[in-house]
């Protein structure tokens, strides 16, 4: 009785989500088979027109590269954050700063920094490390820099939690048992923090799939992504059917990834080793 | 027969900033010896152990294992067994995989490692639990697995950092006997860190008492208990009552100290000088109730019993002396002497050889 009563507490929230989110999204997705006429013509276009394949390829490539870069940067960062309590606050601040600035300000700041006569190139030139400015912006590099910058916290925090949750004596114990740093990491720390890592990586990948302002501002011609195309089709081309189809692709990809990650990280401790 | 030295510490110190956590520790550990580091928390005993394990680097001094300087070796090349206070078992590996881990690190074949792990598991009395995860074991079982893991590769030296600290009292006593048995059967050399004096007394061949980063005294449990050389050791290892005074006379092994209760005689420890301040340290169980006219004991005092605490095997009693200070006594239950009762005036005494005169450093 009591449990059923407490479920009623979910009602306002559920009603809110249903009316302002589920309904409109459902209506939009329905347009993939109903706009301009009922049928699968939108999916046929998706399959047949090469522009969509290249959009999907770009999106997946950018999202994957962003995820990999985030993992590589976030792991050491989270490790220091979790194992040096005195630095934790400062590092948390550092990683959260991009969150507190608007996406436009952030992107324009990167433009100032990364352009041909920006601070980065000027410094490198003056130090004599390069002869001519590096192409750091309006290409894939620029997109990656901008996206990694803002998505980093999504890997850092789950990883930080996972590393903090580890018994601090485990790595010293592994060392005393004869495991060098790399083997100790691969056999002990990595398996124990894998859940946090996968969770962060999936978050970043899924969010990267839907990013379009950063690729639009910091990328070049060849960095067009699905989300940007959806926006274009709705606001300028008025092709709601195609926009809905592309949205469905993104949504399904996201759901598949989330589901797969749930399976992957389900109690890694149950795996019998050795 | 002299046994070879396994571990040698020469002038080992460790500073954390301006703080000396360990100061100038010298120590030799013979093959098969069980030595305990005993001291309050922050006395440097665990830091010393961590330096032997290689998890901390000494600020100065050197550590030798079988004559070889350990300084250039990282922990994973030292081949020393370590049992941590909270077991530090790998939670994602089965019990057997935990024990096989160090064997695999030593390039033992998978089957061979498994067989060896099973054998060690039998040795610690858990033959059927190999497939469990550490989280499915009780604290005592986890401790045994940690021990098995550290013993699996037959290290020349086993370090144990308060391994029983997290267990309840009964289990501790059981594990103490178990560890002592393994030590005897395997003949391993053990360095054991504890803050529990009883644990140290039960298991050790020798005890090193740590205080403020220094070894205050090192010796066999009995000699440490009966002949402490500093006030700290006398107070930390067992109970003592300290009666302060001034050394009046010193001849050979015996000192006479003039205290508020008149001259008291006791065994003089090194460092006691005539004319200087000293304390007479008396163990409660050495204090005897005297009948008037009894002159067999060199030392006698008057007082009133202010408190009696029944302990089962014995009674502890507090005597308020004439100057207001207190003296602890212990009376076994069922002895012939009259039972102590609260409020009674008594005459107490003890032999000169039953108490120690220590230089008063405080």
């Amino acid at each position: 009785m009591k449990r059923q009563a407490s479920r009623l507490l979910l009602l306002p929230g559920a009603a809110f989500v249903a009316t302002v989110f589920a309904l409109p999204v459902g209506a939009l997705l329905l347009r993939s088979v109903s706009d301009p006429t009922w049928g699968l013509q939108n999916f046929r276009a998706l399959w047949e027109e090469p522009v969509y394949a290249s959009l999907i390829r770009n999106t997946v490539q950018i999202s994957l590269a962003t995820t990999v870069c985030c993992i590589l940067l976030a792991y050491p960062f989270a490790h220091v954050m979790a194992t040096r309590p005195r630095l934790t606050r400062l590092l948390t601040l550092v990683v959260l700063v991009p969150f507190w600035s608007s996406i436009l300000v952030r992107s324009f700041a990167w433009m100032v920094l990364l352009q041909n006569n920006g601070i980065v190139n000027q410094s490198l030139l003056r130090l004599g490390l390069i002869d001519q400015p590096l192409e750091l912006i309006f290409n894939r590099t620029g997109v990656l820099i901008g996206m990694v910058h803002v998505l980093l916290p999504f890997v850092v925090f789950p990883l930080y939690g996972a590393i903090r949750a580890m018994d601090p004596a485990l790595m010293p114990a592994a060392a005393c048992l004869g495991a060098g740093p790399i083997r100790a990491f691969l056999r002990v720390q990595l398996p124990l923090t894998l859940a946090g890592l996968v969770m962060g990586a999936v978050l970043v990948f899924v969010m990267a799939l839907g990013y379009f302002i950063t690729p639009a501002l910091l990328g070049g011609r060849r960095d067009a992504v699905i989300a940007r195309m959806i926006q274009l089709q709705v606001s300028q081309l008025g092709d709601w059917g195609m926009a809905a189809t592309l949205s469905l692709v993104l949504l399904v990809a996201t759901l598949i990834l989330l589901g797969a990650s749930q399976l992957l990280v389900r109690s890694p401790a149950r795996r019998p080793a050795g | 027969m002299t046994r070879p030295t396994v571990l040698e510490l020469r002038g080992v110190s460790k500073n954390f900033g301006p703080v000396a956590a360990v100061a100038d520790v010298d120590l030799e550990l013979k093959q098969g010896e069980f030595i305990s580091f005993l001291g309050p928390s922050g006395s440097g005993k665990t830091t010393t152990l961590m330096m032997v394990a290689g998890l901390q680097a000494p600020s100065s001094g050197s550590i030798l294992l079988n004559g070889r300087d350990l300084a250039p070796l990282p922990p994973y090349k030292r081949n020393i067994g370590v049992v941590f206070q909270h077991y530090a078992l790998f939670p994602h590996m089965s019990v057997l995989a935990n024990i096989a881990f160090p064997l695999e690190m030593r390039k033992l074949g998978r089957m061979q490692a498994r067989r060896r792990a099973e054998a060690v598991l039998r040795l610690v009395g858990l033959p059927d639990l190999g497939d469990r995860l550490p989280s499915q074991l009780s604290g005592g079982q986890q401790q045994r697995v940690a021990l098995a893991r550290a013993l699996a590769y037959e290290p020349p030296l086993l370090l144990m950092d308060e391994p029983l600290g997290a267990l309840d009292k009964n289990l501790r006593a059981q594990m103490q006997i178990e560890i002592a048995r393994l030590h005897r059967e395997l003949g391993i050399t053990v360095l054991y860190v504890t803050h529990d004096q009883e644990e140290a007394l039960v298991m050790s061949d020798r005890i090193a008492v740590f205080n403020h980063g220094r070894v205050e005294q090192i010796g066999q449990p009995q000699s440490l208990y009966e002949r402490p050389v500093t006030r700290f050791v006398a107070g930390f290892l067992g109970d003592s009552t300290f009666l302060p005074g001034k050394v009046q006379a010193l001849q050979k092994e015996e000192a006479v100290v003039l205290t508020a209760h008149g001259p008291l005689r006791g065994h003089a420890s090194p460092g006691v000088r005539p004319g200087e301040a000293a304390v007479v340290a008396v163990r409660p169980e050495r204090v005897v109730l005297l009948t008037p006219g009894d002159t067999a004991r060199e030392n006698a005092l008057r007082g009133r019993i202010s408190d009696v605490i029944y302990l089962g095997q014995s009674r502890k009693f507090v005597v308020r002396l004439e100057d207001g200070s207190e003296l602890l006594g212990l009376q076994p239950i069922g002895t012939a002497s009259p039972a102590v009762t609260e409020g009674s005036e008594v005459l107490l005494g003890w032999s000169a050889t039953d108490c120690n005169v220590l230089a008063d450093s405080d």
Side-chain angles (χ1 to χ4, degrees), chain A residues 167 169-181 183-184 187-189 191-192 268-274, chain B residues 53 55 75-76 80 82 84 86 88-94 97 101-102 104-107 110 133 136 149-150 153:
Chain A
D167 177 354
L170 290 183
M171 291 304 276
C176 291
L177 291 168
R183 287 215 278 180
R187 292 282 309 266
V188 179
Q189 182 159 349
L192 287 172
R270 301 272 145 203
R271 253 182 306 131
Chain B
L55 299 170
Y76 54 92
I80 293 175
V82 185
F84 290 84
H86 298 288
L89 296 175
F90 303 131
H92 58 304
M93 295 184 199
S94 71
F101 182 85
E104 283 170 32
M105 293 302 126
R106 285 164 178 75
K107 311 265 186 264
R110 183 165 275 242
L133 286 174
Q136 296 167 314
R149 187 175 66 173
Y153 47 102

Side-chain angles (χ1 to χ4, degrees), chain A:
Chain A
M1 284 301 119
K2 220 175 172 187
R3 286 183 58 173
Q4 274 174 354
S6 71
R7 273 187 212 160
L8 287 176
L9 294 173
L10 289 174
L11 214 58
F16 179 78
V17 170
T19 45
V20 308
F21 183 70
L23 272 179
V25 168
L28 172 71
L29 294 181
L30 195 62
R31 288 190 170 204
S32 64
V33 290
S34 70
D35 200 315
T37 57
W38 286 94
L40 294 173
Q41 69 278 13
N42 288 322
F43 289 92
R44 198 172 309 124
L46 181 72
W47 183 254
E48 286 171 356
E49 289 193 30
V51 61
Y52 295 119
S54 91
L55 278 178
I56 291 175
R57 196 170 52 240
N58 276 351
T59 309
V60 171
Q61 276 176 357
I62 289 173
S63 302
L64 264 182
T66 304
T67 310
V68 170
C69 290
C70 277
I71 289 175
L72 292 181
L73 286 176
Y75 207 110
F77 192 91
H79 184 84
V80 174
M81 225 170 109
T83 50
R84 299 279 189 84
R86 270 194 229 166
L87 293 177
T88 305
R89 281 162 71 105
L90 178 72
L91 295 180
T92 308
L93 213 70
V94 167
V95 81
L96 278 181
V97 163
F99 262 20
W100 296 332
S101 47
S102 98
I103 190 158
L104 288 174
V105 171
R106 209 159 55 225
S107 299
F108 287 122
W110 277 122
M111 286 183 197
V112 173
L113 287 175
L114 298 176
Q115 60 186 284
N116 279 0
N117 50 6
I119 294 174
V120 174
N121 270 320
Q122 288 298 319
S123 310
L124 289 175
L125 280 171
R126 213 159 288 159
L127 287 171
L129 293 172
I130 51 171
D131 297 327
Q132 50 188 12
L134 297 172
E135 303 264 329
L136 294 175
I137 201 163
F138 308 127
N139 56 18
R140 203 48 73 82
T141 313
V143 176
L144 283 184
I145 291 175
M147 289 182 60
V148 168
H149 180 222
V150 68
L151 291 175
L152 204 57
F154 292 97
V155 200
V156 167
F157 288 110
L159 263 181
Y160 167 75
I163 299 171
R164 270 296 294 272
M166 248 177 71
D167 177 354
L170 290 183
M171 291 304 276
C176 291
L177 291 168
I182 295 171
R183 287 215 278 180
F185 177 77
L186 292 178
R187 292 282 309 266
V188 179
Q189 182 159 349
L190 188 60
L192 287 172
T193 52
L194 195 63
L197 186 67
V198 169
M199 195 173 123
V202 167
L203 268 178
V204 166
F205 189 81
V206 164
M207 295 184 77
L209 282 180
Y211 257 54
F212 72 94
I213 300 180
T214 308
L217 290 178
L218 301 180
R221 245 169 224 295
R222 288 179 297 166
D223 300 307
V225 292
I226 298 183
R228 170 80 172 140
M229 188 55 143
I230 296 173
Q231 190 238 357
L232 222 89
Q233 270 161 336
V234 169
S235 65
Q236 288 176 33
L237 305 174
D239 185 351
W240 283 81
M242 207 56 224
T245 309
L246 290 175
S247 303
L248 192 70
V249 168
L250 273 189
L251 188 66
V252 169
T254 304
L255 290 178
I256 289 176
L257 267 171
L258 286 177
S261 70
Q262 286 301 307
L263 287 181
L264 200 68
V265 298
R266 184 174 293 163
S267 59
R270 301 272 145 203
R271 253 182 306 131

Side-chain angles (χ1 to χ4, degrees), chain B residues 92-267:
Chain B
H92 58 304
M93 295 184 199
S94 71
V95 165
L96 269 184
N98 262 285
I99 302 173
F101 182 85
L103 302 172
E104 283 170 32
M105 293 302 126
R106 285 164 178 75
K107 311 265 186 264
L108 222 67
R110 183 165 275 242
M111 281 317 293
Q112 223 178 332
R114 196 183 163 87
R115 260 201 302 282
R116 171 87 189 123
E118 278 168 351
V120 186
L121 204 53
R122 269 197 301 280
L123 187 72
V124 297
L126 300 173
D128 304 320
L129 300 183
D131 294 327
R132 300 257 187 105
L133 286 174
S135 57
Q136 296 167 314
L137 303 181
S138 70
Q141 289 171 332
Q142 289 187 40
Q143 190 54 67
R144 281 166 199 253
V145 174
L147 195 57
R149 187 175 66 173
L151 290 174
Y153 47 102
E154 295 175 337
L157 174 66
L158 181 64
L159 309 178
M160 303 178 90
D161 182 17
E162 309 221 9
L164 307 183
L167 302 179
D168 65 51
K169 199 167 183 291
N170 286 334
L171 207 51
R172 288 172 79 114
Q174 206 181 319
M175 283 302 293
Q176 285 168 15
I177 294 167
E178 183 80 15
I179 291 170
R181 175 185 70 86
L182 283 169
H183 168 243
R184 209 170 45 241
E185 282 178 11
L186 304 175
I188 40 175
T189 312
V190 181
L191 198 166
Y192 191 98
V193 164
T194 181
H195 64 267
D196 183 331
Q197 40 143 325
E198 195 184 312
E199 205 166 285
L201 289 173
V202 168
M203 296 195 290
S204 318
D205 295 320
R206 282 194 299 158
I207 299 173
V209 180
F210 274 71
N211 187 30
H212 296 310
R214 293 181 180 278
V215 176
E216 290 253 336
Q217 190 176 357
I218 181 162
Q220 291 171 351
Q222 192 177 349
S223 70
L224 230 61
Y225 186 83
E226 290 178 5
R227 292 283 174 246
V229 295
T230 68
R231 184 170 174 163
F232 176 81
V233 174
F236 192 77
L237 206 63
D239 291 326
S240 288
T241 301
F242 298 106
L243 302 164
K246 199 172 176 186
V247 182
Q248 217 173 26
L250 179 68
Q251 7 171 283
K252 282 189 188 167
E253 301 249 282
E254 193 174 283
V256 182
V257 179
L258 188 59
T259 68
H261 319 283
L264 295 173
R265 288 168 186 277
H267 178 272

